[in-house]
Amino acid sequence: MSGKTPTAGPGTKDASGVWQATTPRVKLSNTVTNADGGTMDLTFEVWTADSSGNAKTQVPISADQYGVMVSGYVNSGSTASVTVGAGYLKPNVDYVFHTSAYAKESGLYETSWSPWARFRVTMPVDLTLPNPNASAVNPDQSAQPYTNTPAPPSPWTTTVAPSRDRSTDPGLFPTRCTTSSDRVKMCGKAEPYNGRNFTLPRGTGTQKVAATSSLVSNCDPANPPAGIWTARFEECSAYVLSWEAIINNAPVGTVSALVVNERKLDPQSGNITERISVTNVDVPATIPAFTLDTPVIDCEPSGNCNVQSVSGWQGAAAWVPGDHHTVTSDASYVWGPTLTGPSSTNPEVMKLGVAVALPGDMKLPAQTVQSAPAVFMDVANGDLENGAPDQIRCDNTKIISQAPTIGCVFHNYVPTYTFNAAKYPQASAHAWLIQHKLTNHPGSLANGKPLYFLADSDISGNRTVICPSGWAAANGDTSALNGTTDQPNCDEFAFNSTYNSGGMPSLAGGLNPVSSGDACVQTFASKQGSTVHLFNIDGHTPTWKEVCGRSAISGSDNSGSMAGFAAFNANQRLLDRDPYWLNTNMSAACSSDSTTVKCTMTAKNQ
């Protein structure tokens, strides 16, 4: 007869007595006993269960006309088992099963069934996806936020250029001093404004700084943010400048001011514009008057970068104690390659250095004073991948399939590509899973792990390693497709067009090389009822030590999620090894069970 302790697995029984199987290929077992000592087999029958665990409807688990499975013969006291094949049992459905015995030697059937055993298929990875919104508007990939966080250090070893005066690190600008014939020493100094090293006035009248016009968006010269803030083509930075007068080694007084520097680059030419605003000038009572000369701008390398114009000050660039008015000056310069014209076969990529000197002149009674400049700058030479936060890079290379063009960017700004998660939830959920669960967090801004753009022919080779032909068709579920023309597609993440791709070999600069997509986290999309889920492929439970992911999802979802990338690439002027973030546009509410990743996903742009 059948035993009284039927089990389902692989998995464990929860506190309520339900077996939690971790695969749809569930192994059902029970013991048998035969008083005559002969061999016996068991017939296994599976039913769906209601919320109380009562049997509702029989579920076929084989092609047998009765929809049952029969074990092989076992000796009395042993355990008889069957394994349900793929496709019969579904995740997240409550089932019960029972068994009935047959004695081979006597030919007698058991006239009753064993007790019911309740079980449920719980996949190690189970993301419940939102229903797609076909009318969801694609994100504006050109709308990139300002940030004061530069790109993380390059993952590749690079050679640092020899140090020169102009390669001084940002924030360590040298103090520049002059001494007049009367032995009056005047020193100019600059340092980035950090929100604490200069006090902005909050009074009224002459102490209140009048608002000045901005050259770039999100920059208020009267109340600038601390540090260096950039987007891909705009910058807002503030510096504390000071000019100190010293006579016979005795300090006379120091004039200080906040200087706001705005720069605007052109992604489609080498033109660069700049606005310099000198605000909150503070002249001590010991100095009768202070005057600024017209800014002196040095754009390097010479011969490639040329200053076009520097305007005079808009407003009187002279102050006396108690006067705090603001003046501005506009400048423009241009970068042009030394080549006769843009060339895709011999392109030029160049880092520009720009130094702005503000010579300050003091009037001291009966003293001859020689002006001293306070200089703020970015770094003119050095490594393109490990340079200043506001490093300007200009190039005349070929961006994707377009003709070669000239353009400039703030190289150490990392742009963000954003998925339309509401319209393409399958691709977004897969990227979210890999980005959040793997320790290399590809493309994650929160973890400081950017994707690195790959612009050459290795892209197809990467895909061959991770997504061989036929893999998606063999592992996909057609229930998750969008229409009759849709086909299962292998979605690789990190993307094959990145150095983060598992298919990119280390000798070519690959950061996460694997020999096969079998080494990746493997998932597939499947519709359960009216809702699509992302499950791990049966038999492939992730360890979360993997460095890549591949998923069999809707082909239209996969291609649609990346449809805006070519325009993003062109707009942001991505060159080989440029970093960028991926915003999956997904949020997740996950259970606290440490053995599974069970989450309900929500598109942020729904």
Side-chain angles (χ1 to χ4, degrees):
M1 60 179 294
S2 297
K4 298 184 183 298
T5 56
T7 63
T12 58
K13 185 186 288 188
D14 65 19
S16 62
V18 179
W19 290 97
Q20 300 292 330
T22 58
T23 168
R25 295 179 175 89
V26 179
K27 182 179 181 180
L28 306 176
S29 304
N30 204 352
T31 57
V32 294
T33 56
N34 188 341
D36 297 330
T39 59
M40 306 183 72
D41 66 20
L42 289 181
T43 296
F44 290 77
E45 191 178 76
V46 175
W47 293 58
T48 59
D50 62 19
S51 59
S52 299
N54 299 314
K56 292 172 55 180
T57 306
Q58 185 182 352
V59 178
I61 56 174
S62 74
D64 176 87
Q65 62 176 324
Y66 301 108
V68 299
M69 293 187 72
V70 180
S71 73
Y73 289 103
V74 297
N75 294 324
S76 178
S78 300
T79 299
S81 303
V82 296
T83 298
V84 181
Y88 289 104
L89 300 176
K90 295 182 178 181
N92 305 323
V93 175
D94 287 323
Y95 296 101
V96 290
F97 81 95
H98 59 184
T99 63
S100 181
Y102 169 74
K104 180 179 180 181
E105 284 76 16
S106 66
L108 296 177
Y109 287 91
E110 187 176 11
T111 58
S112 61
W113 292 83
S114 72
W116 292 102
R118 189 176 176 183
F119 71 96
R120 183 179 179 87
V121 176
T122 302
M123 303 292 282
V125 175
D126 181 0
L127 305 186
T128 303
L129 309 190
N131 292 326
N133 178 4
S135 61
V137 178
N138 288 326
D140 180 3
Q141 306 291 352
S142 66
Q144 298 290 324
Y146 270 85
T147 181
N148 63 347
T149 303
S154 167
W156 297 281
T157 302
T158 53
T159 302
V160 178
S163 177
R164 289 173 39 194
D165 180 54
R166 283 296 175 83
S167 64
T168 305
D169 289 337
L172 299 177
F173 306 142
T175 299
R176 298 172 183 269
C177 299
T178 59
T179 303
S180 71
S181 57
D182 286 351
R183 308 301 298 169
V184 177
K185 186 177 182 180
M186 187 171 171
C187 295
K189 181 182 178 182
E191 62 180 357
Y193 170 59
N194 60 21
R196 301 178 301 277
N197 54 354
F198 192 90
T199 302
L200 297 175
R202 292 179 173 82
T204 58
T206 58
Q207 291 185 336
K208 184 176 179 63
V209 178
T212 60
S213 60
S214 296
L215 175 68
V216 302
S217 56
N218 299 310
C219 188
D220 180 4
N223 187 25
I228 298 175
W229 289 77
T230 66
R232 193 66 163 173
F233 310 109
E234 294 184 347
E235 174 193 270
C236 177
S237 55
Y239 300 87
V240 177
L241 271 62
S242 60
W243 300 265
E244 182 184 20
I246 303 169
I247 301 177
N248 296 325
N249 294 322
V252 175
T254 300
V255 176
S256 61
L258 191 66
V259 177
V260 179
N261 183 236
E262 301 173 78
R263 287 177 179 161
K264 194 167 189 176
L265 312 181
D266 188 345
Q268 297 181 351
S269 78
N271 294 318
I272 301 169
T273 53
E274 184 166 24
R275 175 162 296 165
I276 303 158
S277 300
V278 181
T279 70
N280 305 302
V281 179
D282 184 30
V283 181
T286 54
I287 297 176
F290 177 79
T291 303
L292 281 179
D293 294 341
T294 300
V296 177
I297 296 180
D298 183 9
C299 179
E300 294 186 354
S302 60
N304 291 83
C305 185
N306 299 302
V307 177
Q308 300 295 293
S309 66
V310 180
S311 75
W313 293 110
Q314 299 177 35
W319 293 263
V320 295
D323 178 15
H324 304 284
H325 72 273
T326 297
V327 296
T328 63
S329 176
D330 290 335
S332 65
Y333 35 102
V334 65
W335 176 80
T338 55
L339 310 177
T340 56
S343 169
S344 60
T345 58
N346 189 23
E348 186 171 10
V349 179
M350 186 167 290
K351 194 290 183 171
L352 304 188
V354 182
V356 178
L358 296 184
D361 298 302
M362 293 183 184
K363 290 187 177 180
L364 299 177
Q367 300 290 340
T368 301
V369 180
Q370 186 173 328
S371 66
V375 177
F376 53 98
M377 68 185 85
D378 64 7
V379 180
N381 17 318
D383 179 14
L384 264 175
E385 294 172 338
N386 293 303
D390 59 341
Q391 192 177 77
I392 299 173
R393 181 193 72 196
C394 297
D395 71 272
N396 66 325
T397 61
K398 183 178 182 180
I399 305 296
I400 53 173
S401 60
Q402 299 182 5
T405 59
I406 293 176
C408 300
V409 301
F410 285 108
H411 171 65
N412 278 342
Y413 175 84
V414 183
T416 301
Y417 183 71
T418 303
F419 273 160
N420 186 342
K423 195 171 185 177
Y424 308 112
Q426 295 182 32
S428 299
H430 176 226
W432 179 93
L433 175 71
I434 302 306
Q435 194 176 84
H436 281 73
K437 290 297 295 182
L438 300 192
T439 57
N440 59 344
H441 305 293
S444 171
L445 171 61
N447 296 100
K449 302 288 188 179
L451 298 169
Y452 289 92
F453 179 61
L454 173 62
D456 60 27
S457 58
D458 288 330
I459 293 172
S460 60
N462 290 350
R463 186 164 181 82
T464 299
V465 172
I466 305 300
C467 292
S469 177
W471 181 86
N475 292 277
D477 184 345
T478 56
S479 69
L481 299 181
N482 299 316
T484 57
T485 60
D486 197 7
Q487 296 290 328
N489 190 260
C490 178
D491 178 26
E492 177 191 354
F493 192 71
F495 306 132
N496 64 330
S497 57
T498 67
Y499 284 87
N500 311 72
S501 166
M504 189 68 176
S506 57
L507 289 177
L511 303 174
N512 306 291
V514 296
S515 60
S516 165
D518 294 343
C520 301
V521 173
Q522 301 186 72
T523 57
F524 73 106
S526 176
K527 181 172 282 188
Q528 305 292 306
S530 61
T531 303
V532 173
H533 291 245
L534 197 73
F535 297 122
N536 60 287
I537 291 176
D538 190 29
H540 297 279
T541 300
T543 65
W544 307 119
K545 296 178 181 179
E546 297 88 352
V547 295
C548 54
R550 66 178 178 184
S551 187
I553 66 171
S554 154
S556 64
D557 222 70
N558 194 14
S559 61
S561 67
M562 294 300 293
F565 191 83
F568 167 78
N569 179 2
N571 178 270
Q572 300 299 309
R573 295 196 69 87
L574 293 183
L575 300 183
D576 196 57
R577 295 194 177 187
D578 269 5
Y580 67 95
W581 310 116
L582 175 70
N583 176 8
T584 66
N585 234 347
M586 277 279 183
S587 61
C590 301
S591 68
S592 58
D593 184 357
S594 61
T595 63
T596 62
V597 180
K598 189 171 184 177
C599 307
T600 298
M601 312 301 296
T602 301
K604 295 179 181 179
N605 67 318
Q606 58 183 332

